[in-house]
Amino acid sequence: MKYRITHTTLYSYSQPVGLCQNEARLQPRNFWRQHCDYSRFDINPIPVDFYEQIDCFGNRVTYFTIQQPHTQLTVTAISEVTIFPNQNTPGLFNQMTWEQVRNLLRETPFQGQAQSQQGQIQFQNRDQPPELMDATQYLLDSPMVTVTPELAGYAQPSFRPNRMLIDVVHDLMGRIYQDFIYDPTFTTIATPLSDVLSHRRGVCQDFAHLAIGCLRAYGIAARYISGYIETLPAPGMQRLVGADASHAWFSVYIPGTGWLDFDPTNNTVPLDQHITLAWGRDYSDVTPLKGIAFGGGQHSLSVSVDVLRLE
């Protein structure tokens, strides 16, 4: 399946901005489930500094600086992506209980854990699979997801003794879908997860954070995924260009199999309609566009996303 994604962000300022420095994670990743065939930026005003690199999570990051005065900034990322069929065998997911996975992760040293020996850095337990060691960083609290007794309490009905991990996660995803109301007016980026849990409402970002916190509370590695989802018009209705939006879901590490994605907003396992941009510990690691502007006064923000299936 092939898609073209056009993501446009427009900042409008009440006063001129003399200088801005920006960081974008708007180019889709390459991994076993997808390949980014093409990607480019259209930025106005034209930046004087523009370069790309890979962050510590393997995401593509673009940095750019604009030094001329401006009252509007438009950043458009255009990408074409191929999504491959899911090649994982469902039966492979049912081989380990959540307690077995928890215990295995407990026995694995954290990624980058090291000791000094004769002036050199020696990494511990080199025999551990790199993917298993990498997964341990997703066990810890992160800036926007802190494990609390309330999160553990909400998750507890899903974590029945000796239950297969894949069944635990499916049950947790379904409960979040049933128990929480999708309400884009209730939360902002700064809304605490405790408010989402107590009021039982939020958006895709909140539901992903909620699931991640619940899983980490029981020693299961979980990470945050940012990306897009194809939305189809109702029968007989014309497709609206630019009416899509960014999306978020979460992923769980299953030893011997790898990472498996879950979308609690839609109660589904992402397959060929989910396009991955970036992943990290939570939203703060994968913010699509952020930066610092000097001047500008008050500002407004508008975002347009178009996910087009290419026949």
Side-chain angles (χ1 to χ4, degrees), residues 145 151 154 172-173 175-184 186-187 191-193 195-197 199-215 222-225 247-251 262-267:
V145 180
L151 285 174
Y154 178 77
L172 178 64
M173 176 177 68
R175 290 176 52 226
I176 293 173
Y177 178 76
Q178 293 293 333
D179 295 346
F180 288 76
I181 298 171
Y182 185 87
D183 183 355
F186 179 72
T187 60
T191 303
L193 193 50
D195 288 356
V196 176
L197 184 59
H199 292 276
R200 295 290 201 270
R201 58 184 61 235
V203 294
C204 57
Q205 170 190 302
D206 304 307
F207 302 153
H209 282 158
L210 175 65
I212 290 168
C214 289
L215 290 161
R223 67 189 182 192
Y224 183 96
I225 313 291
H247 194 45
W249 56 98
F250 71 96
S251 191
F262 294 84
D263 181 353
T265 305
N266 297 290
N267 194 28

